[in-house]
Amino acid sequence: MNASSPGRIVLLTTSHRVAPGLLSWPAWQALHDADRVLCADGTHPQLPYLREAGVQVDEAAPTAEDLVDACAGGHTVVVVATGEGEPRLTDGLARLAGSGNVQMPDLELLPASYDLPGARLLDLVQVMDRIRVECPWSSQQTHKGLAKYGIEEAYELVEAIEEGDRHELREELGDVLLQVVFHARIAEEGRAEDGAEPFSIDDVAAGIVTKLIHRHPHVFGDETASTPEEVKEHWLRTKAAEKQRTSVTEGVPLGQPGLALAAKLSSRARTAGLEVPLPEGEGVGYELLAMAVRAETDGVDPEAALRAAARAYRDAIRVREGLPTDGLPTDGLPTDGRSAES
């Protein structure tokens, strides 16, 4: 140790989204080699694990001046940062360094744990837990009561996609994700209207992970697929084995918009190789059915095509009213409703 050395300050940061005690090797080295380890928060979740590992941690909230003095003579002091990141301390150190009147210790910021991809989803679960308990409105919601919001958010997501607005897309994806977490939080309480067994967001995630792995044997198994068509064949084959349905119409939600419903039924029949003549009848309903089936056969989404035409109609109305159409939302799709990749 060099008595004339100003020493070293290590600001150790950790993520609350990683289990406490899971620290990087450089972090453990710094903790064991330090002359002092300080933490201002006596309830910091890392402290029990640090002490269990033989690291003596003093509960203290030193000022910048105190910390510089503690490092004098070549000492190393590790500060285990609180959740706020010690802004008062770092601001004080910056002020001392800027004064030019103090010989400053070496300052190192050492991340001891890192967020994994998807870690912020843990924050969402925690926030939803608290809102469910403390918010008078959220605490009274049920699956049935929230159903209409799920439909609304899905439509808003589709609109953001069609308009090509990436800022709105990110926000609407968050709103849809909220619906998933909200419903899972309600189901966790075991108060579901159907009286079924409770389940959590982890059960929801586990279910979709299992499904994705099983339906992608060309990724997670021994099968191969080099084209999107082959991937779709794998998906349909494994789905059929899972569902064991007696009719291709099973699982088609009848509550969806009419054009989408007709197109979905047409797709199911066509994929199954069923040649089914359209029912005969009078009226616009049967005419729309025939048009929807024709669109689906041609690779056109009839719902998207109608929305594109409706927006053009909206513009025509505004022109007749003498109003501008510049800046109004557009669908971002060709007028026949085909995707941009078609």
Side-chain angles (χ1 to χ4, degrees):
M1 183 180 299
N2 186 345
S4 62
S5 170
R8 175 170 169 244
I9 301 171
V10 178
L11 185 62
L12 197 73
T13 61
T14 58
S15 170
H16 67 277
R17 304 178 189 94
V18 175
L22 297 178
L23 306 180
S24 65
W25 176 242
W28 282 117
Q29 285 184 309
L31 288 164
H32 283 293
D33 294 345
D35 296 293
R36 290 191 68 187
V37 178
L38 308 177
C39 182
D41 181 7
T43 64
H44 197 294
Q46 296 289 351
L47 296 191
Y49 299 91
L50 299 185
R51 289 166 177 154
E52 185 178 353
V55 177
Q56 179 180 341
V57 183
D58 299 328
E59 184 179 345
T63 64
E65 291 82 358
D66 294 336
L67 199 56
V68 170
D69 292 341
C71 292
H75 293 95
T76 296
V77 178
V78 173
V79 177
V80 180
T82 61
E84 290 75 25
E86 306 294 343
R88 181 183 63 84
L89 182 60
T90 54
D91 289 348
L93 291 171
R95 176 178 49 80
L96 287 179
S99 70
N101 299 323
V102 179
Q103 187 180 14
M104 295 296 295
D106 294 333
L107 179 60
E108 178 183 354
L109 177 64
L110 179 58
S113 57
Y114 301 84
D115 288 346
L116 298 174
R120 294 306 297 268
L121 295 174
L122 299 176
D123 290 348
L124 175 58
V125 173
Q126 292 175 352
V127 169
M128 188 69 250
D129 284 343
R130 182 171 179 180
I131 290 175
R132 178 64 174 172
V133 173
E134 299 182 18
C135 174
W137 183 85
S138 299
S139 62
Q140 300 300 315
Q141 296 309 302
T142 64
H143 293 304
K144 291 182 179 178
L146 291 176
K148 62 180 181 180
Y149 300 110
I151 296 173
E152 291 175 3
E153 298 300 352
Y155 275 123
E156 290 178 8
L157 172 60
V158 171
E159 185 174 5
I161 293 172
E162 292 184 345
E163 291 178 3
D165 188 328
R166 292 188 61 81
H167 175 77
E168 286 295 320
L169 174 60
R170 183 176 64 180
E171 181 175 345
E172 297 304 336
L173 284 170
D175 290 342
V176 171
L177 180 59
L178 170 60
Q179 296 301 309
V180 175
V181 175
F182 204 159
H183 280 284
R185 181 62 179 82
I186 294 172
E188 191 173 358
E189 300 168 2
R191 285 162 41 186
E193 295 92 327
D194 57 6
E197 290 294 322
F199 60 83
S200 69
I201 188 64
D202 288 317
D203 298 315
V204 174
I208 191 61
V209 166
T210 300
K211 178 186 291 186
L212 287 173
I213 292 175
H214 186 237
R215 294 189 183 179
H216 288 78
H218 53 289
V219 176
F220 301 99
D222 298 329
E223 296 194 34
T224 59
S226 57
T227 66
E229 291 73 23
E230 291 177 344
V231 172
K232 187 175 182 180
E233 288 178 8
H234 287 321
W235 182 277
L236 294 175
R237 184 168 61 251
T238 54
K239 183 177 180 180
E242 291 171 6
K243 301 296 184 180
Q244 296 184 342
R245 290 167 173 163
T246 57
S247 171
V248 297
T249 64
E250 293 179 22
V252 177
L254 299 180
Q256 62 184 302
L259 289 177
L261 172 60
K264 187 65 175 180
L265 291 171
S266 172
S267 174
R268 287 285 185 91
R270 182 172 53 80
T271 301
L274 299 175
E275 296 184 4
V276 183
L278 294 177
E280 297 181 359
E282 299 293 333
V284 68
Y286 288 93
E287 295 175 10
L288 289 173
L289 172 63
M291 295 179 66
V293 170
R294 188 186 73 192
E296 190 280 326
T297 303
D298 293 340
V300 175
D301 179 352
E303 281 286 337
L306 181 57
R307 282 196 299 271
R311 286 186 172 93
Y313 184 41
R314 173 205 59 188
D315 292 348
I317 293 173
R318 292 181 64 87
V319 169
R320 177 56 64 91
E321 293 172 332
L323 298 174
T325 59
D326 293 342
L328 289 176
T330 60
D331 54 25
L333 296 174
T335 55
D336 63 356
R338 297 180 188 270
S339 68
E341 291 79 11
S342 297

